[in-house]
Amino acid sequence: MNRAEIRINRELQRILKEPPSNCSANVIDEDDIYQWVGTIMGPKDTPYENGVFFLKITFPSTYPYDPPKIMFNTKIYHPNIDDDGNICLDILRKQWVPTLTISKVLLSICSLMADPNPNDPLMPNIGKQYENDINAFNITAKQYTQNYAS
């Protein structure tokens, strides 16, 4: 087993034993430790509440020195998540440090869902709507949650 596999296995055991609040993750196939599915329960008091959101987690062979690639498989209406499921979150790019774990990353994504950053949007039109008409944003985000995440 190489360094990445040792670290990924350790994180897998930890997340299965003590999953972060409102989140979980597991391997998709026991024969491929590098491919996981993550689950986030929509944060309370947000338009995503009661939704179940699935994410695809792919670890590079250079993990933990390079970040995992994480994408939403569940369609979501959010200024920092595009139509393909890409997530604009600094710790998944420039701010990645090897001490971060999947548990911490899932909690950060959950936090981003509860508190979008319209100043750094992947979806500029949704970012503008979030800033200028939060009620319309919430209605559309709730509708997406009901349609795709329930």
Side-chain angles (χ1 to χ4, degrees), residues 87-137:
I87 306 165
C88 183
L89 185 62
D90 56 359
I91 63 169
L92 292 176
R93 290 179 181 77
K94 298 180 294 257
Q95 298 298 317
W96 174 259
V97 290
T99 54
L100 286 169
T101 62
I102 284 299
S103 290
K104 290 176 186 168
V105 171
L106 288 173
L107 286 172
S108 293
I109 294 170
C110 205
S111 178
L112 182 68
M113 288 171 71
D115 188 20
N117 179 4
N119 298 321
D120 189 20
L122 268 182
M123 304 293 284
N125 56 330
I126 299 175
K128 281 189 181 91
Q129 183 186 45
Y130 181 84
E131 286 185 300
N132 299 327
D133 191 350
I134 191 76
N135 290 330
F137 168 83

Side-chain angles (χ1 to χ4, degrees), residues 22-72:
N22 295 320
C23 305
S24 65
N26 204 341
V27 292
I28 296 171
D29 175 357
E30 288 183 25
D31 293 332
D32 185 359
I33 192 76
Y34 293 95
Q35 299 290 326
W36 289 20
V37 64
T39 307
I40 295 178
M41 304 304 290
K44 192 169 174 28
D45 300 323
T46 73
Y48 312 109
E49 186 173 9
N50 300 320
V52 180
F53 298 86
F54 295 98
L55 300 97
K56 180 180 181 183
I57 303 168
T58 305
F59 293 92
S61 60
T62 52
Y63 187 78
Y65 302 106
D66 292 307
K69 175 81 172 146
I70 302 179
M71 298 178 68
F72 271 78

Side-chain angles (χ1 to χ4, degrees), residues 6-20 23-25 36 63 98-104:
I6 291 168
R7 168 72 181 265
I8 294 166
N9 264 311
R10 192 174 339 131
E11 285 196 45
L12 177 61
Q13 298 313 311
R14 195 172 297 143
I15 203 165
L16 291 174
K17 192 175 178 180
E18 299 173 31
C23 305
S24 65
W36 289 20
Y63 187 78
T99 54
L100 286 169
T101 62
I102 284 299
S103 290
K104 290 176 186 168

